[in-house]
Amino acid sequence: MKKASNTRRRELTDLTMRVVSGTASLIGIFFLVWILWTVGKNGIAAFNYDFFTALPTPPGIEGGGLANAIVGTLLITILAALIGVPLGLFTGVYLAEFGRNTRFGGMVRFTINITMGIPSIIVGLFVYTLLVLPFKHFSAYAGAVSLAIIMLPVIARTTEDMLNLVPNSLRESALAIGMPRWRAIVSILFRAARSGLLTGILLAVARVSGETAPLLFTAMNSPYWMRGLAEPTANLTVTIFNYAMSPFDDWKTLAWGASLLIMATVLGVNLLARTLLREKTK
Amino acid sequence: MSRFGDYLSEHFETLFRWFTILCAATVLIIMAAMFVNLAWNARLAIGEFGIGFLWSEEWDPALNQYGAFSSIYGTLVSTAIAMVIAVPMSVVIALFLVELAHPTVSKVVGGAIELLAAIPSIIYGMWGLFVFAPFMAETVQPFLQETLGLEKAPLIGRFFSGAPMGIGMLTAGIILALMVLPFITAVMRDVFAMVPPVVKESAYGMGSTTWEVTHKVTLRYGIQGVIGACFLGLGRALGETMAVTFVIGNAHHISASLFDAGNSIASTLANEFAEASEPIYLHSLIYLGLVLLVMTFLIQFAAQWWVRRLKKSMGAGL
């Protein structure tokens, strides 16, 4: 008798935990949908021709857009990729090909993992002390450098992982036909790991294109078209921050539009990268 | 000519190798330069306030008195709220994904949870400020205070006192929980999936229920991985900036109530950096950044060390 009630109690606990775990998953999805829905609804309302083509206007004046910020974000992100991708890629090459079992390699790997967890605002602060304070002005290149520093460890890690997946026989056969190692890496290994490397790069670009904190102290913001890399540069994320905190309704509308644009881009690139990876594993 | 070509290609091999070494070295240089640069540019504040900066509560730009305590307190409290919510949730979500759900369902739900991690933090901020904070103010906080009667509850009452404004520590903590949840879940899922089927099957064979297998076998088997996952989540929550800045209220004071406005190190930096006109103000903010850098560095260091030890003891896989 006692045994039977014990079993029932255990089964009840089990059932409860099943329900709890299902509910927790649903809660997670619920918040995702809630956020996507909110941003989608408010963002669509902000989209019009001016949003993509016009400069921002002072509060109260109709018809402002964020064309300069869209261009600025694109430019800073591209510049960041130009710096961060080669650095990360070749760091990954070193870790996977030359420094696999060396002390220096281990140290670099350890530091990369730590760097990935350093808050992006600290990276921004660091670049501020490096490139803004000495030159006494905010600039697009300072913004790009801070984003590149955030990209570097992510790309290095995935590059190393992806190169490690390439079978050793491929390396050996390349070397056996007399290829120098750099040639084997560039024309054989990179090609074999292509989709994995591309995924890593895309994910890193997606991640930094939504970053705000590192740009606050480096690229800053500006209501004008940029005329060069050495001046404060408008960008979408800092604009969202400034406009959302302002008391003006038309600025808040623009902030929602910018949010949707950024979110759609980041999620789009993310999904693209994942599809690439899935095709590879098939 | 051909000998020159040979020479070049031989040379290029070495050059290439040194180029990759140089790239790898930049990582170390950047890490070291972060500490040096921040410390150097905080020198006025370090000289003026010393280590007492950490527990001084006063933050008054008018009098040029700066202390980090309220920011550190806010960072720790909001992170603690986030972890208290996110860790148990991650455990049960990982349980659902690995043990309970049909593989197709698991893939879809897992993908959705991962998407939460891809949403930029400024989007969390926008949603938090304009949608979630009003929801907290109108629904959740009155529910906690009145319907559950927590405001008048003994001992814990003071955590839930004050006007329900929506913005404040609790809201910031909940949003942070949402943001670190996918990271912790991802690691937990790997840990759960790594437990050898034989171990689980023998527990099932003795008549255990799914939950018993999970908390007595799977969790215990993977406890080190679970702890590692928590460390990683903790590191992320500590330095999160934009989402917190939008909803924490940005007030330099310490209050027991979780409904009250506060600030965190990151939110103070984001908010006040543009106003820092005096050198000592700027140096104090950078000092604050240095404190955050040291905190996250130590947490990450511990996490990496832990994971590394784990790898050695369990072989590959994680």
Side-chain angles (χ1 to χ4, degrees):
Chain A
M1 192 64 207
K2 196 184 168 200
K3 215 170 198 174
S5 81
N6 191 27
T7 311
R8 204 171 306 135
R9 192 175 52 79
R10 285 173 51 210
E11 274 168 358
L12 203 67
T13 317
D14 187 52
L15 188 70
T16 317
M17 288 317 293
R18 279 167 189 262
V19 173
V20 165
S21 77
T23 318
S25 308
L26 278 181
I27 290 175
I29 294 177
F30 169 75
F31 274 106
L32 176 73
V33 173
W34 192 4
I35 294 170
L36 295 182
W37 164 252
T38 308
V39 176
K41 189 186 67 180
N42 290 307
I44 289 276
F47 281 176
N48 53 34
Y49 183 69
D50 277 348
F51 180 86
F52 294 99
T53 54
L55 284 179
T57 50
I61 296 175
E62 286 281 307
L66 295 175
N68 60 339
I70 296 173
V71 173
T73 290
L74 269 176
L75 204 101
I76 293 173
T77 311
I78 292 172
L79 209 59
L82 286 179
I83 307 167
V85 171
L87 264 178
L89 203 64
F90 287 107
T91 304
V93 166
Y94 173 75
L95 292 177
E97 301 299 321
F98 298 118
R100 211 181 266 199
N101 292 316
T102 60
R103 253 190 93 98
F104 181 67
M107 234 163 80
V108 172
R109 199 171 293 119
F110 199 79
T111 315
I112 281 177
N113 287 338
I114 288 179
T115 318
M116 286 216 277
I118 298 294
S120 58
I121 194 162
I122 299 298
V123 175
L125 205 57
F126 165 62
V127 175
Y128 172 84
T129 63
L130 192 72
L131 291 175
V132 177
L133 265 186
F135 299 104
K136 298 197 169 48
H137 55 78
F138 296 98
S139 61
Y141 61 75
V145 167
S146 62
L147 294 188
I149 293 178
I150 296 170
M151 284 172 95
L152 200 171
V154 183
I155 295 181
R157 259 286 288 275
T158 38
T159 305
E160 191 200 357
D161 290 348
M162 291 303 148
L163 289 179
N164 278 339
L165 287 180
V166 179
N168 253 336
S169 53
L170 222 54
R171 286 185 186 87
E172 285 156 9
S173 29
L175 297 178
I177 59 168
M179 268 190 180
R181 287 194 77 167
W182 69 268
R183 197 62 209 280
I185 290 165
V186 173
S187 13
I188 308 286
L189 300 186
F190 275 3
R191 204 170 288 181
R194 192 176 47 201
S195 60
L197 297 181
L198 201 59
T199 309
I201 293 170
L202 282 178
L203 285 177
V205 171
R207 188 181 152 193
V208 300
S209 60
E211 281 287 357
T212 314
L215 297 180
L216 279 175
F217 315 146
T218 53
M220 261 263 282
N221 204 353
S222 137
Y224 311 112
W225 285 107
M226 61 186 301
R227 280 161 307 167
L229 293 177
E231 56 176 70
T233 306
N235 59 84
L236 284 170
T237 44
V238 178
T239 305
I240 297 174
F241 181 53
N242 292 341
Y243 281 17
M245 295 298 196
S246 79
F248 313 112
D249 280 340
D250 43 352
W251 277 14
K252 282 180 189 163
T253 312
L254 284 180
W256 279 115
S259 301
L260 177 57
L261 195 59
I262 281 287
M263 193 180 77
T265 316
V266 172
L267 293 188
V269 175
N270 241 284
L271 290 176
L272 178 75
R274 268 174 222 196
T275 332
L276 267 176
L277 195 69
R278 202 163 303 146
E279 264 167 26
K280 198 212 164 180
T281 43
K282 264 181 197 165
Chain B
M1 195 59 212
S2 128
R3 274 178 70 188
F4 176 71
D6 283 352
Y7 175 77
L8 192 72
S9 77
E10 211 171 286
H11 216 66
F12 194 83
E13 180 74 13
T14 329
L15 270 179
F16 183 82
R17 196 193 163 96
W18 276 102
F19 178 67
T20 63
I21 292 177
L22 200 71
C23 286
T26 39
V27 179
L28 300 179
I29 296 169
I30 288 171
M31 193 77 240
M34 258 186 214
F35 282 97
V36 174
N37 262 20
L38 292 194
W40 173 249
N41 286 289
R43 63 190 182 278
L44 293 181
I46 294 174
E48 176 82 24
F49 308 116
I51 193 79
F53 184 71
L54 294 180
W55 49 84
S56 156
E57 247 185 77
E58 201 174 354
W59 184 274
D60 192 344
L63 297 174
N64 271 331
Q65 272 300 318
Y66 303 97
F69 192 68
S70 74
S71 299
I72 294 174
Y73 173 83
T75 304
L76 295 179
V77 170
S78 58
T79 304
I81 298 173
M83 297 308 286
V84 165
I85 300 170
V87 171
M89 253 183 102
S90 305
V91 172
V92 289
I93 291 179
L95 164 73
F96 177 79
L97 294 176
V98 177
E99 308 282 348
L100 300 177
H102 183 273
T104 320
V105 177
S106 167
K107 207 177 263 174
V108 173
V109 175
I113 301 284
E114 276 171 29
L115 267 195
L116 274 177
I119 295 177
S121 83
I122 187 129
I123 304 290
Y124 279 97
M126 286 292 282
W127 169 79
L129 179 64
F130 292 112
V131 180
F132 191 62
F135 172 74
M136 288 290 288
E138 285 155 21
T139 314
V140 179
Q141 293 179 343
F143 173 79
L144 291 174
Q145 282 186 331
E146 283 149 33
T147 316
L148 294 184
L150 287 177
E151 192 181 13
K152 306 225 161 45
L155 291 175
I156 57 165
R158 56 208 185 107
F159 294 133
F160 299 96
S161 64
M165 294 184 300
I167 53 177
M169 285 292 180
L170 185 63
T171 311
I174 293 175
I175 293 182
L176 270 180
L178 212 53
M179 297 181 73
V180 298
L181 178 78
F183 292 98
I184 308 181
T185 307
V187 184
M188 295 244 185
R189 189 165 68 163
D190 292 348
V191 169
F192 280 16
M194 233 175 55
V195 178
V198 177
V199 181
K200 282 191 230 166
E201 278 157 17
S202 36
Y204 280 120
M206 285 165 63
S208 301
T209 60
T210 309
W211 171 243
E212 283 166 351
V213 172
T214 302
H215 89 111
K216 287 187 179 156
V217 179
T218 315
L219 265 181
R220 262 181 223 182
Y221 194 94
I223 185 70
Q224 291 182 311
V226 171
I227 293 173
C230 296
F231 267 114
L232 291 179
L234 191 65
R236 288 213 162 254
L238 280 178
E240 180 45 55
T241 311
M242 298 322 293
V244 174
T245 309
F246 273 81
V247 297
I248 202 165
N250 304 306
H252 281 281
H253 75 131
I254 294 174
S255 152
S257 171
L258 300 178
F259 292 180
D260 225 337
N263 63 357
S264 75
I265 296 180
S267 78
T268 304
L269 282 171
N271 261 310
E272 300 188 17
F273 207 78
E275 297 159 16
S277 44
E278 304 242 349
I280 184 80
Y281 194 178
L282 182 67
H283 280 233
S284 298
L285 285 171
I286 296 178
Y287 194 5
L288 208 54
L290 184 65
V291 172
L292 180 60
L293 176 64
V294 171
M295 276 163 74
T296 46
F297 182 85
L298 290 179
I299 298 259
Q300 292 294 331
F301 194 89
Q304 292 310 323
W305 178 78
W306 185 268
V307 170
R308 212 181 198 191
R309 218 188 59 159
L310 190 63
K311 259 191 204 162
K312 267 185 199 149
S313 68
M314 292 177 79
L318 245 182

